[in-house]
Amino acid sequence: MSVNREETPGQEIALFLRQLKWLVVVAASLWLIGLLGPILTPFVLGALLGWLGDPLADRLQRRGLSRNLAVGLVFGAMVLVVVLALLILVPLLERQVVTLIESAPTYRDWILQTALPWLEQKTGLDLVGWLDTERLTEWVKTHWTQAGGFAATVFGYLSRSGVAMLAWVANIVLLPILTFYFLRDWDMLVDRVAALVPRDHLGTVTRLARESNDVLGAFLRGQFVVMIALGLIYAIGLSLVGLKLGLLIGVIAGFISFIPYLGATTGVVLALVAALVQSQGFDLQLLVLVGVVFTVGQMLESYVLTPRIVGDKIGLHPMAVIFAIMAGGQLFGFVGMLLALPVAAVANVLLRFAKERYRESDLYTGEHAVIVLDSYVDPGTVEQVASREPEQS
């Protein structure tokens, strides 16, 4: 039974002003994120790493260790994992890059002598003619008057690239420092934020925060493991079938596999091109083996890795994940891409909560109380129960 309260005009205005205040706060926060995006990257990464390591530090602390010692052990383990990964991967990837550079003339010849003529035959376009040296020289002479503006543009781009490179170096240096402080002070930061929550909303906010934490933990930690597993599967599989650049392609495909289907699609395209160039023709056996590697990898991801490691707690459709990442990158750049999935996961929790409140409201149930049956109830059973009720009465 619900009690309808009629609000006075003054109460309605006060409620509207409170809602408007929160909208202004959200809009100002988004504006600041967009404005400070270039310097927020190490802070966002540090906060994510600190949040990921906090449960392990809390577990060690419950076993009797001090907070500083627990944080030191967890931070040391993180650094050790990164160092070991670099020691193992960098030499291997270095050899792969050298192989790629040595094979560059072969790839160039394959593109000019095989790929482009095939495309010309299929499309009827004069693609090879556009790459002719004399034609390119004539094009440069024709547009020579624009060379000054072009040179200025290139110089400005290189200058900006140099500044961006320095910023990336500074971010790399800051990242471990910020990660340590976030890891050490994470519980204190959570307590301070919780102390600002209005007391009459504390229960609801606490529940939503816990659900969001569970969803993010299940997804981010699990997805990180799935990325590593897929990278290993693709890299080892492609190397075993004889693809010279298999390790490099496998690492790339595994690294971007957090975007649904993009990792496998990119890996397949790169691997097929590498196989065609390596075999200097149509080597059916190598192409089939490459396809088998990615098919096995996708089956393991769909039926073993993702269900067992990630689970379905995040509840986001693959299209929603792709949209969130693209929207975050478009609005806030690299920082937006980092925040896209956590924000989408939290938004999904809030939408489930809003749906729950909506189904409990008078707007959904109407003025009279009704029993809302779940979708798994058999309609035939409901009809049988309804037909028996008059007989029993």
Side-chain angles (χ1 to χ4, degrees), residues 341-382:
L341 289 181
V343 170
V346 173
N348 195 42
V349 172
L350 297 178
L351 287 175
R352 287 202 298 263
F353 176 73
K355 177 184 175 182
E356 178 185 324
R357 287 297 180 89
Y358 166 68
R359 297 194 61 172
E360 293 175 353
S361 67
D362 293 340
L363 181 63
Y364 179 76
T365 60
E367 296 181 358
H368 304 287
V370 296
I371 299 175
V372 181
L373 297 175
D374 291 329
S375 58
Y376 59 80
V377 176
D378 185 6
T381 305
V382 177

Side-chain angles (χ1 to χ4, degrees), residues 2 9 55 77 79 91 101 115 124 141 146 192 210 216 228 242 249 271 296 298 317 325 329 346 379:
S2 60
V79 173
I101 293 174
K141 291 180 180 178
Q146 303 174 2
R192 289 184 177 180
R210 287 176 178 173
L216 287 175
I228 295 176
I249 295 173
V296 171
Q298 283 299 291
H317 193 275
I325 295 173
V346 173

Side-chain angles (χ1 to χ4, degrees), residues 167-381:
W168 272 103
V169 172
N171 290 340
I172 292 174
V173 174
L174 280 175
L175 182 58
I177 300 173
L178 295 172
T179 300
F180 176 80
Y181 282 117
F182 274 115
L183 184 59
R184 189 192 67 177
D185 300 331
W186 186 262
D187 293 337
M188 181 183 66
L189 294 173
V190 172
D191 292 339
R192 289 184 177 180
V193 172
L196 299 176
V197 177
R199 297 299 94 181
D200 54 343
H201 297 297
L202 183 61
T204 301
V205 173
T206 301
R207 171 196 162 186
L208 294 176
R210 287 176 178 173
E211 290 183 5
S212 300
N213 183 71
D214 292 341
V215 167
L216 287 175
F219 180 75
L220 292 181
R221 295 185 184 96
Q223 191 62 44
F224 182 71
V225 174
V226 170
M227 287 168 55
I228 295 176
L230 284 177
L232 290 174
I233 292 171
Y234 293 147
I236 295 175
L238 293 175
S239 298
L240 289 177
V241 301
L243 196 65
K244 293 180 180 179
L245 298 176
L247 179 63
L248 181 61
I249 295 173
V251 170
I252 294 174
F255 180 73
I256 60 177
S257 62
F258 67 94
I259 304 177
Y261 311 117
L262 181 62
T265 302
T266 303
V268 167
V269 172
L270 294 177
L272 290 179
V273 172
L276 289 172
V277 176
Q278 179 179 318
S279 60
Q280 290 295 307
F282 191 79
D283 188 347
L284 181 60
Q285 181 180 356
L286 184 57
L287 295 177
V288 169
L289 289 176
V290 167
V292 168
V293 170
F294 282 97
T295 301
V296 171
Q298 283 299 291
M299 291 181 65
L300 289 175
E301 180 192 12
S302 301
Y303 298 105
V304 179
L305 295 175
T306 299
R308 292 182 178 272
I309 298 176
V310 179
D312 57 354
K313 296 187 69 174
I314 189 172
L316 285 178
H317 193 275
M319 288 192 297
V321 175
I322 296 173
F323 175 80
I325 295 173
M326 293 180 65
Q330 178 67 27
L331 293 174
F332 304 111
F334 185 70
V335 173
M337 297 181 67
L338 290 177
L339 293 173
L341 289 181
V343 170
V346 173
N348 195 42
V349 172
L350 297 178
L351 287 175
R352 287 202 298 263
F353 176 73
K355 177 184 175 182
E356 178 185 324
R357 287 297 180 89
Y358 166 68
R359 297 194 61 172
E360 293 175 353
S361 67
D362 293 340
L363 181 63
Y364 179 76
T365 60
E367 296 181 358
H368 304 287
V370 296
I371 299 175
V372 181
L373 297 175
D374 291 329
S375 58
Y376 59 80
V377 176
D378 185 6
T381 305

